[in-house]
Amino acid sequence: MSRTLRTQVGIVGAGPAGLLLAHLLRQRGIDSVILETRSRERVEARVRAGQLDSTTVQILTAAGVGSRMQAEGVPNSGVNFYFRGNTHRIDLRAVSGRTLMMYGQREIVRDMVAGLLAVDGKILFEVTDVELHGIDGRTPSITFHSAGQDMALECEFIVGCDGYHGICRPAIAPALSTFDVAHGFSWVAVLAQTKPVAEEVVYACHDRGLALFSLRSRAVARFYLQCPQEEQLDAWPVDRIWDEARLRLEGGAFVLEPGPILESSMVRMRSFVAEPMQHGRLFLAGDAAHIVPPSAAKGLNLAVADVYQLAQALQERYRSGDASLLRDYSRIALERVWEGQRFSDWMTRLLHTNINGSAMDRRIQLAELDHLMATQAALGNFVESYVGPKMSC
Ligand code: APR
């Protein structure tokens, strides 16, 4: 026999987008239920992003899930570019008045899961066979299996926060246009128990390829090494990782201290957008609708902006019956998404070495980096895009 649950907003996926949306809705007096295919342990174990722009920090804080981030996160007021043996520091705070925060997505997810469960928020982990129904009508629903039981979740709206491989976007595929590009590079992503090479991000643009040094705390380094697109992780034993990282920093003042590797994985550089981000009573947010190459660290920040916008629109709809913000969700979100795509694409080209490219290509790339460091207007434009949009929240 099947069991039926009811809520106002059914959320598919307990990644950063789904979890934050549930918090923002709860604050606005709107009931939601999250359905997640993985276990709580799996959801809380994923490493992924960790560079938060100032609007994301503001939104997480306003959502009531920012206290550990404020205490343990590492603020970054600058960013470093290292190329041809010279370090160029860009002072983000001086140019824009804004800073970034380094705090791992895994910690954000843990904070948000704990926060929701502490207030009786509804997250059903380890559900299977999730299917959407009635998206075009007024009473959509989601069917699924949970703990061996057939279940139905009746709701008024559904939000697909189920990432790139989820089921929500495919459910409306005929209504969508999609844009997809692979950039021809991958990253070996490494999390290591060691002092980071710097407290601020370092982009080392070496002839051998990009090395991006970041951090998750003052004792945990996160770094990425450019490699060919199809390379497999087993081609990167521990010694090769440290040797390559050292080579790409050679000649500079940064000190790399090898330590135990806690996690390594492959990240494929790709760009993807599905539009529109809504159809009937289904809205898409985060990776379900768009993927950016991580060169400019925009993925998590774009997802946060999506669900913040959606929470405001749903609040207005429930408060006054006015659905105009909901109707405009996709149009406004896509402006932000395409700007994020533009900038991420530009940074991807700026930073990665085309190993098979000509010497001319490489010299032009270095000239572009020189131009960025030496030209006030170029630097100002870069910083505005890099620190992210100002948002009133
Ligand atoms: N039913 C329920 N849950 C599902 C389903 C499904 N059919 N398919 C996938 N999921 C879950 C996944 O297990 C995952 O927990 O949806 C969640 C999607 O989470 P993410 O992939 O992290 O997507 P999102 O929340 O949009 O991520 C936001 O953070 O690090 C970044 O790359 C990430 O840029 C993205 C941002």
Side-chain angles (χ1 to χ4, degrees):
M1 222 186 64
S2 84
R3 205 178 132 214
T4 301
L5 307 173
R6 284 189 184 78
T7 189
Q8 288 171 296
V9 180
I11 301 174
V12 186
L19 290 165
L20 180 59
L21 180 62
H23 274 278
L24 293 168
L25 292 178
R26 191 177 178 281
Q27 257 188 345
R28 288 159 176 75
I30 301 169
D31 191 56
S32 71
V33 173
I34 305 183
L35 305 178
E36 166 61 51
T37 45
R38 294 179 189 237
S39 65
R40 178 177 179 181
E41 293 67 33
R42 288 279 301 278
V43 164
E44 291 188 337
R46 283 188 301 230
V47 178
R48 296 168 98 176
Q51 180 170 314
L52 313 182
D53 68 29
S54 58
T55 302
T56 296
V57 169
Q58 247 178 294
I59 292 172
L60 292 175
T61 306
V65 290
S67 53
R68 203 157 67 92
M69 167 191 70
Q70 297 288 0
E72 297 176 16
V74 181
N76 271 202
S77 56
V79 59
N80 300 287
F81 287 81
Y82 177 65
F83 57 98
R84 277 197 307 234
N86 294 312
T87 304
H88 305 257
R89 179 178 184 271
I90 298 177
D91 191 332
L92 302 172
R93 193 206 301 266
V95 178
S96 67
R98 307 203 285 291
T99 58
L100 300 168
M101 176 74 92
M102 311 312 287
Y103 185 65
Q105 173 174 325
R106 182 165 64 176
E107 308 312 315
I108 299 174
V109 164
R110 287 176 181 173
D111 295 345
M112 290 199 290
V113 170
L116 267 184
L117 296 179
V119 292
D120 246 1
K122 285 163 236 131
I123 315 178
L124 298 181
F125 290 102
E126 297 182 77
V127 303
T128 59
D129 304 308
V130 180
E131 281 181 33
L132 310 186
H133 309 272
I135 294 162
D136 289 312
R138 299 170 73 88
T139 52
S141 64
I142 310 173
T143 54
F144 57 98
H145 292 280
S146 177
Q149 203 174 17
D150 288 341
M151 308 271 288
L153 177 64
E154 294 182 349
C155 39
E156 290 157 14
F157 299 98
I158 298 174
V159 184
C161 297
D162 50 345
Y164 181 75
H165 299 288
I167 51 98
C168 290
R169 191 184 65 254
I172 55 168
L176 301 179
S177 300
T178 55
F179 305 85
D180 202 349
V181 156
H183 291 275
F185 311 113
S186 291
W187 283 359
V188 184
V190 180
L191 188 74
Q193 185 80 47
T194 183
K195 191 169 172 287
V197 298
E199 282 218 351
E200 295 177 343
V201 169
V202 179
Y203 292 97
C205 306
H206 196 274
D207 289 347
R208 299 177 66 88
L210 172 72
L212 163 49
F213 296 89
S214 180
L215 64 152
R216 289 293 175 268
S217 74
R218 292 189 170 88
V220 177
R222 177 77 166 153
F223 61 91
Y224 308 91
L225 301 171
Q226 177 192 337
C227 66
Q229 180 165 280
E230 299 311 331
E231 196 126 307
Q232 300 300 311
L233 193 56
D234 54 19
W236 287 85
V238 172
D239 288 349
R240 182 176 178 203
I241 288 176
W242 290 113
D243 288 348
E244 196 62 39
R246 197 177 299 107
L247 276 173
R248 295 185 193 188
L249 276 177
E250 72 188 347
F254 298 108
V255 180
L256 184 71
E257 289 176 14
I261 290 185
L262 304 173
E263 207 244 12
S264 57
S265 60
M266 279 288 168
V267 181
R268 313 281 172 205
M269 297 284 122
R270 63 185 313 208
S271 306
F272 172 82
V273 180
E275 58 179 35
M277 288 167 60
Q278 66 194 94
H279 181 76
R281 295 224 165 193
L282 173 67
F283 298 84
L284 301 177
D287 275 18
H290 44 78
I291 307 264
V292 284
S295 321
K298 293 292 175 196
L300 177 58
N301 295 298
L302 285 172
V304 166
D306 286 352
V307 294
Y308 183 72
Q309 185 196 338
L310 205 42
Q312 302 282 73
L314 285 164
Q315 177 181 27
E316 199 49 40
R317 162 67 175 70
Y318 280 111
R319 194 183 60 80
S320 68
D322 180 357
S324 56
L325 288 179
L326 267 187
R327 278 195 298 273
D328 274 351
Y329 166 70
S330 176
R331 185 183 59 75
I332 294 169
L334 282 167
E335 285 174 15
R336 179 176 60 237
V337 167
W338 280 112
E339 166 53 21
Q341 292 287 357
R342 178 200 68 78
F343 184 65
S344 303
D345 190 83
W346 176 80
M347 272 199 81
T348 300
R349 290 166 203 265
L350 176 74
L351 299 170
H352 291 82
T353 310
N354 183 355
I355 306 286
N356 302 319
S358 65
M360 181 79 174
D361 289 342
R362 180 70 182 144
R363 295 299 283 267
I364 288 176
Q365 190 177 33
L366 291 168
E368 177 80 21
L369 281 162
D370 283 336
H371 173 76
L372 175 64
M373 302 310 151
T375 318
Q376 207 68 40
L379 200 71
N381 285 339
F382 164 78
V383 171
E384 279 305 315
S385 296
Y386 190 68
V387 298
K390 278 192 202 122
M391 193 157 146
S392 49
C393 58

